[in-house]
Amino acid sequence: VQLQASGGGLVQAGGSLRLSCAVSGSGFSIYRMAWYRQAPGERRDLVAITDTRGGTNYTSSVKGRFTISNDNAKNTAYLQMNSLKPEETAVYYCNVVVVDTSRTWKSFWGQGTQVTVSS
């Protein structure tokens, strides 16, 4: 299983970015995908999560501004981020939980994409 995250960059406060996370490989089924973020010196925190049936959940600070979605046919998850704030500057990581053909649950991380919000 390989994850490729993209879409980060530099944006002014109040701006928007859309992150993508594409999952590739074979011999597994995706259970859920999620986005986390980690600021320098801080722990990695959950931002948003979605399962393959379309269920979603968000950390309270991003509700109403961020939207997580997925394209099951493309094994890709997206994070639309609007009204970004400087304190949301962080490396954003994609995570996927899959079930393989032996019914083993596994978690994988993408390489992270930098999001920088200037004030």
Side-chain angles (χ1 to χ4, degrees):
V1 178
Q2 293 185 327
L3 283 68
Q4 181 65 47
S6 61
L10 174 64
V11 65
Q12 289 187 332
S16 298
L17 284 173
R18 188 191 194 210
L19 306 182
S20 299
C21 177
V23 182
S24 60
S26 61
F28 62 89
S29 297
I30 294 175
Y31 172 67
R32 68 117 171 102
M33 297 185 73
W35 287 97
Y36 290 72
R37 64 188 176 192
Q38 187 170 21
E42 302 291 330
R43 67 180 185 185
R44 189 173 299 185
D45 289 328
L46 177 66
V47 176
I49 190 168
T50 182
D51 60 39
T52 53
R53 292 174 292 181
T56 60
N57 204 359
Y58 301 89
T59 190
S60 58
S61 64
V62 307
K63 286 181 180 178
R65 298 186 298 117
F66 289 16
T67 302
I68 189 170
S69 61
N70 57 20
D71 184 333
N72 292 334
K74 296 181 178 179
N75 283 349
T76 299
Y78 306 95
L79 185 67
Q80 176 67 42
M81 305 185 294
N82 299 327
S83 302
L84 281 160
K85 304 175 182 180
E87 56 265 36
E88 294 177 313
T89 293
V91 178
Y92 283 67
Y93 294 93
C94 178
N95 175 267
V96 63
V97 173
V98 306
V99 181
D100 66 18
T101 53
S102 64
R103 297 181 179 271
T104 300
W105 295 73
K106 297 178 180 178
S107 174
F108 296 90
W109 291 92
Q111 81 279 16
T113 183
Q114 176 70 45
V115 171
T116 302
V117 186
S118 63
S119 57

